[in-house]
Amino acid sequence: QVQLVESGGGLVQAGGSLKLSCAASGSMYSASYMGWYRQAPGKQRELVARISSAGSTNYADSVKGRFTISRDNAKNTLYLQMNSLKPEDTAVYYCNVRFVRAIVDDVYWGQGTQVTVSS
């Protein structure tokens, strides 16, 4: 129903920046939440940043002040601007869209894009 494709990952030196993009096949306007998750080697997948349909945002403590989540409704795309990158940010980053339902949420995931930060 909803397909998400991430892009923008790559190799960057510590202190550098990257901007991830998540293009959706359909409109994300009605989605309850749109966000970015990441999974580092040997660790569980964690929430990095999330933005609600109303525009409110939430960030993991580890990325506050460095990452910024945003969306462009005209392009139907979600973004994650990552600044002051650290080696600890190395992970596969996944785009996520969630529709909150009464019983079970409707959740969609992208394939992920690799971000590697060298020191």
Side-chain angles (χ1 to χ4, degrees):
Q1 184 175 348
V2 176
Q3 291 184 316
L4 306 172
V5 180
E6 302 97 333
S7 62
L11 176 64
V12 65
Q13 293 182 341
S17 300
L18 283 174
K19 187 173 185 178
L20 306 183
S21 298
C22 173
S25 61
S27 177
M28 296 188 294
Y29 178 80
S30 62
S32 299
Y33 299 98
M34 296 153 281
W36 291 94
Y37 288 72
R38 68 185 181 187
Q39 186 165 21
K43 296 185 178 180
Q44 297 183 33
R45 186 173 299 186
E46 64 175 348
L47 175 67
V48 177
R50 185 171 66 181
I51 185 168
S52 72
S53 59
S56 61
T57 58
N58 295 95
Y59 296 91
D61 289 339
S62 60
V63 307
K64 285 184 177 179
R66 299 189 298 122
F67 292 10
T68 302
I69 188 170
S70 62
R71 53 180 165 81
D72 188 329
N73 290 333
K75 296 181 178 179
N76 202 31
T77 302
L78 181 70
Y79 301 99
L80 183 67
Q81 177 65 52
M82 305 186 294
N83 299 324
S84 301
L85 283 163
K86 305 175 181 180
E88 306 92 271
D89 295 318
T90 296
V92 176
Y93 285 71
Y94 299 90
C95 179
N96 169 266
V97 174
R98 181 182 297 270
F99 298 85
V100 175
R101 308 300 188 192
I103 306 299
V104 180
D105 290 355
D106 196 358
V107 182
Y108 300 90
W109 294 93
Q111 294 293 325
T113 184
Q114 177 71 49
V115 171
T116 302
V117 184
S118 62
S119 61

